[in-house]
Amino acid sequence: MTDNNSGDNDNVVYLNERIKYMVDPVPMVCEVAGRMLSDVVIVGTGKDGSIKMMTSVEDIPDIIWYLETAKYSLMAGGLTEEEE
């Protein structure tokens, strides 16, 4: 992982480049995710204030892997992926 934020294609997702918030960002985030991702784990807050999760992933260990990867990304400030 590098500390530069030059926009080079270095396979690092910088968390400081978040989607800008708008009045109702959930539909926009879901639309973008639908175009970009093959599997999703969505965690959010319901209208009643409770924590909700929706996923297209059936295997519980895979769900945990996605959540732990997101946690690592938040703690490390970015996510480095292996090149294929």
Side-chain angles (χ1 to χ4, degrees):
M1 182 168 59
T2 61
D3 289 334
N4 71 12
N5 198 0
S6 63
D8 295 324
N9 188 7
D10 56 6
N11 286 332
V12 176
V13 176
Y14 294 96
L15 295 176
N16 58 352
E17 295 180 15
R18 297 179 187 158
I19 296 172
K20 301 228 187 273
Y21 287 103
M22 57 184 71
V23 175
D24 192 11
V26 174
M28 189 271 305
V29 169
C30 290
E31 179 183 335
V32 171
R35 289 193 308 257
M36 293 176 55
L37 306 174
S38 58
D39 289 312
V40 296
V41 176
I42 301 171
V43 179
T45 306
K47 303 270 186 211
D48 62 355
S50 63
I51 302 297
K52 306 283 187 189
M53 183 178 81
M54 301 173 85
T55 182
S56 63
V57 180
E58 293 183 25
D59 194 29
I60 292 174
D62 288 342
I63 294 169
I64 293 170
W65 183 85
Y66 281 116
L67 294 172
E68 289 295 323
T69 301
K71 177 178 144 183
Y72 174 81
S73 178
L74 290 169
M75 298 298 286
L79 175 64
T80 303
E81 296 179 357
E82 297 289 326
E83 291 205 26
E84 295 182 19

PDB file of all heavy atoms in Angstrom, residues 1 11-15 69-70 72-80:
ATOM      1  N   MET A   1       0.850  -1.173   0.000  1.00  0.00           N
ATOM      2  CA  MET A   1       0.000   0.000   0.000  1.00  0.00           C
ATOM      3  C   MET A   1       0.888   1.226   0.000  1.00  0.00           C
ATOM      4  O   MET A   1       1.879   1.292   0.710  1.00  0.00           O
ATOM      5  CB  MET A   1      -0.900  -0.019   1.231  1.00  0.00           C
ATOM      6  CG  MET A   1      -1.837   1.150   1.277  1.00  0.00           C
ATOM      7  SD  MET A   1      -3.137   1.019   2.514  1.00  0.00           S
ATOM      8  CE  MET A   1      -2.248   0.870   4.008  1.00  0.00           C
ATOM      9  N   ASN A  11      -4.235   0.027  -7.413  1.00  0.00           N
ATOM     10  CA  ASN A  11      -5.123  -0.935  -6.763  1.00  0.00           C
ATOM     11  C   ASN A  11      -5.364  -0.637  -5.296  1.00  0.00           C
ATOM     12  O   ASN A  11      -5.550  -1.544  -4.497  1.00  0.00           O
ATOM     13  CB  ASN A  11      -4.610  -2.374  -6.924  1.00  0.00           C
ATOM     14  CG  ASN A  11      -4.812  -2.878  -8.317  1.00  0.00           C
ATOM     15  OD1 ASN A  11      -5.724  -2.446  -8.999  1.00  0.00           O
ATOM     16  ND2 ASN A  11      -3.986  -3.794  -8.754  1.00  0.00           N
ATOM     17  N   VAL A  12      -5.330   0.624  -4.926  1.00  0.00           N
ATOM     18  CA  VAL A  12      -5.621   1.022  -3.557  1.00  0.00           C
ATOM     19  C   VAL A  12      -6.885   1.860  -3.572  1.00  0.00           C
ATOM     20  O   VAL A  12      -7.025   2.783  -4.362  1.00  0.00           O
ATOM     21  CB  VAL A  12      -4.458   1.839  -2.939  1.00  0.00           C
ATOM     22  CG1 VAL A  12      -4.824   2.319  -1.551  1.00  0.00           C
ATOM     23  CG2 VAL A  12      -3.194   1.007  -2.893  1.00  0.00           C
ATOM     24  N   VAL A  13      -7.822   1.510  -2.705  1.00  0.00           N
ATOM     25  CA  VAL A  13      -9.049   2.280  -2.567  1.00  0.00           C
ATOM     26  C   VAL A  13      -8.863   3.212  -1.381  1.00  0.00           C
ATOM     27  O   VAL A  13      -8.722   2.757  -0.250  1.00  0.00           O
ATOM     28  CB  VAL A  13     -10.268   1.357  -2.330  1.00  0.00           C
ATOM     29  CG1 VAL A  13     -11.517   2.184  -2.096  1.00  0.00           C
ATOM     30  CG2 VAL A  13     -10.446   0.409  -3.489  1.00  0.00           C
ATOM     31  N   TYR A  14      -8.800   4.510  -1.634  1.00  0.00           N
ATOM     32  CA  TYR A  14      -8.601   5.487  -0.579  1.00  0.00           C
ATOM     33  C   TYR A  14      -9.952   5.904  -0.013  1.00  0.00           C
ATOM     34  O   TYR A  14     -10.841   6.330  -0.739  1.00  0.00           O
ATOM     35  CB  TYR A  14      -7.860   6.714  -1.107  1.00  0.00           C
ATOM     36  CG  TYR A  14      -6.452   6.385  -1.513  1.00  0.00           C
ATOM     37  CD1 TYR A  14      -6.134   6.098  -2.832  1.00  0.00           C
ATOM     38  CD2 TYR A  14      -5.449   6.336  -0.559  1.00  0.00           C
ATOM     39  CE1 TYR A  14      -4.844   5.779  -3.188  1.00  0.00           C
ATOM     40  CE2 TYR A  14      -4.153   6.018  -0.911  1.00  0.00           C
ATOM     41  CZ  TYR A  14      -3.851   5.745  -2.224  1.00  0.00           C
ATOM     42  OH  TYR A  14      -2.572   5.422  -2.584  1.00  0.00           O
ATOM     43  N   LEU A  15     -10.113   5.757   1.289  1.00  0.00           N
ATOM     44  CA  LEU A  15     -11.396   6.055   1.924  1.00  0.00           C
ATOM     45  C   LEU A  15     -11.688   7.542   1.988  1.00  0.00           C
ATOM     46  O   LEU A  15     -12.821   7.931   2.202  1.00  0.00           O
ATOM     47  CB  LEU A  15     -11.436   5.443   3.323  1.00  0.00           C
ATOM     48  CG  LEU A  15     -11.399   3.917   3.329  1.00  0.00           C
ATOM     49  CD1 LEU A  15     -11.343   3.408   4.757  1.00  0.00           C
ATOM     50  CD2 LEU A  15     -12.593   3.345   2.617  1.00  0.00           C
ATOM     51  N   THR A  69     -12.795  -7.721   5.768  1.00  0.00           N
ATOM     52  CA  THR A  69     -12.025  -6.958   4.794  1.00  0.00           C
ATOM     53  C   THR A  69     -12.393  -5.479   4.862  1.00  0.00           C
ATOM     54  O   THR A  69     -11.518  -4.605   4.813  1.00  0.00           O
ATOM     55  CB  THR A  69     -12.252  -7.513   3.374  1.00  0.00           C
ATOM     56  OG1 THR A  69     -11.858  -8.878   3.350  1.00  0.00           O
ATOM     57  CG2 THR A  69     -11.467  -6.739   2.337  1.00  0.00           C
ATOM     58  N   ALA A  70     -13.684  -5.197   4.993  1.00  0.00           N
ATOM     59  CA  ALA A  70     -14.121  -3.799   5.137  1.00  0.00           C
ATOM     60  C   ALA A  70     -13.571  -3.197   6.427  1.00  0.00           C
ATOM     61  O   ALA A  70     -13.098  -2.058   6.445  1.00  0.00           O
ATOM     62  CB  ALA A  70     -15.647  -3.730   5.121  1.00  0.00           C
ATOM     63  N   TYR A  72     -10.816  -4.096   8.026  1.00  0.00           N
ATOM     64  CA  TYR A  72      -9.397  -3.862   7.823  1.00  0.00           C
ATOM     65  C   TYR A  72      -9.169  -2.594   7.007  1.00  0.00           C
ATOM     66  O   TYR A  72      -8.291  -1.787   7.311  1.00  0.00           O
ATOM     67  CB  TYR A  72      -8.746  -5.065   7.127  1.00  0.00           C
ATOM     68  CG  TYR A  72      -7.306  -4.796   6.779  1.00  0.00           C
ATOM     69  CD1 TYR A  72      -6.311  -4.922   7.737  1.00  0.00           C
ATOM     70  CD2 TYR A  72      -6.945  -4.391   5.493  1.00  0.00           C
ATOM     71  CE1 TYR A  72      -4.993  -4.654   7.423  1.00  0.00           C
ATOM     72  CE2 TYR A  72      -5.637  -4.116   5.174  1.00  0.00           C
ATOM     73  CZ  TYR A  72      -4.662  -4.244   6.145  1.00  0.00           C
ATOM     74  OH  TYR A  72      -3.366  -3.966   5.830  1.00  0.00           O
ATOM     75  N   SER A  73      -9.959  -2.425   5.959  1.00  0.00           N
ATOM     76  CA  SER A  73      -9.834  -1.254   5.108  1.00  0.00           C
ATOM     77  C   SER A  73     -10.045   0.034   5.906  1.00  0.00           C
ATOM     78  O   SER A  73      -9.299   0.997   5.753  1.00  0.00           O
ATOM     79  CB  SER A  73     -10.836  -1.332   3.959  1.00  0.00           C
ATOM     80  OG  SER A  73     -10.774  -0.193   3.154  1.00  0.00           O
ATOM     81  N   LEU A  74     -11.053   0.037   6.747  1.00  0.00           N
ATOM     82  CA  LEU A  74     -11.319   1.215   7.578  1.00  0.00           C
ATOM     83  C   LEU A  74     -10.175   1.486   8.544  1.00  0.00           C
ATOM     84  O   LEU A  74      -9.761   2.630   8.735  1.00  0.00           O
ATOM     85  CB  LEU A  74     -12.626   1.039   8.351  1.00  0.00           C
ATOM     86  CG  LEU A  74     -13.888   1.070   7.507  1.00  0.00           C
ATOM     87  CD1 LEU A  74     -15.076   0.619   8.354  1.00  0.00           C
ATOM     88  CD2 LEU A  74     -14.119   2.454   6.941  1.00  0.00           C
ATOM     89  N   MET A  75      -9.640   0.434   9.151  1.00  0.00           N
ATOM     90  CA  MET A  75      -8.568   0.591  10.127  1.00  0.00           C
ATOM     91  C   MET A  75      -7.248   0.989   9.460  1.00  0.00           C
ATOM     92  O   MET A  75      -6.474   1.751  10.024  1.00  0.00           O
ATOM     93  CB  MET A  75      -8.376  -0.713  10.914  1.00  0.00           C
ATOM     94  CG  MET A  75      -9.595  -1.134  11.708  1.00  0.00           C
ATOM     95  SD  MET A  75     -10.088   0.034  12.966  1.00  0.00           S
ATOM     96  CE  MET A  75      -8.830  -0.259  14.163  1.00  0.00           C
ATOM     97  N   ALA A  76      -6.997   0.480   8.251  1.00  0.00           N
ATOM     98  CA  ALA A  76      -5.732   0.734   7.564  1.00  0.00           C
ATOM     99  C   ALA A  76      -5.768   1.972   6.683  1.00  0.00           C
ATOM    100  O   ALA A  76      -4.736   2.434   6.223  1.00  0.00           O
ATOM    101  CB  ALA A  76      -5.348  -0.479   6.724  1.00  0.00           C
ATOM    102  N   GLY A  77      -6.963   2.485   6.411  1.00  0.00           N
ATOM    103  CA  GLY A  77      -7.074   3.675   5.572  1.00  0.00           C
ATOM    104  C   GLY A  77      -7.130   3.386   4.085  1.00  0.00           C
ATOM    105  O   GLY A  77      -7.091   4.277   3.287  1.00  0.00           O
ATOM    106  N   GLY A  78      -7.219   2.143   3.688  1.00  0.00           N
ATOM    107  CA  GLY A  78      -7.315   1.772   2.279  1.00  0.00           C
ATOM    108  C   GLY A  78      -7.285   0.269   2.137  1.00  0.00           C
ATOM    109  O   GLY A  78      -6.969  -0.445   3.074  1.00  0.00           O
ATOM    110  N   LEU A  79      -7.600  -0.221   0.959  1.00  0.00           N
ATOM    111  CA  LEU A  79      -7.653  -1.658   0.704  1.00  0.00           C
ATOM    112  C   LEU A  79      -6.752  -1.973  -0.473  1.00  0.00           C
ATOM    113  O   LEU A  79      -6.920  -1.433  -1.548  1.00  0.00           O
ATOM    114  CB  LEU A  79      -9.085  -2.091   0.376  1.00  0.00           C
ATOM    115  CG  LEU A  79      -9.286  -3.534  -0.016  1.00  0.00           C
ATOM    116  CD1 LEU A  79      -8.928  -4.455   1.144  1.00  0.00           C
ATOM    117  CD2 LEU A  79     -10.717  -3.768  -0.438  1.00  0.00           C
ATOM    118  N   THR A  80      -5.774  -2.846  -0.255  1.00  0.00           N
ATOM    119  CA  THR A  80      -4.888  -3.271  -1.335  1.00  0.00           C
ATOM    120  C   THR A  80      -5.348  -4.635  -1.816  1.00  0.00           C
ATOM    121  O   THR A  80      -5.540  -5.529  -1.018  1.00  0.00           O
ATOM    122  CB  THR A  80      -3.433  -3.379  -0.832  1.00  0.00           C
ATOM    123  OG1 THR A  80      -3.051  -2.129  -0.287  1.00  0.00           O
ATOM    124  CG2 THR A  80      -2.491  -3.747  -1.957  1.00  0.00           C
TER     125      THR A  80
END
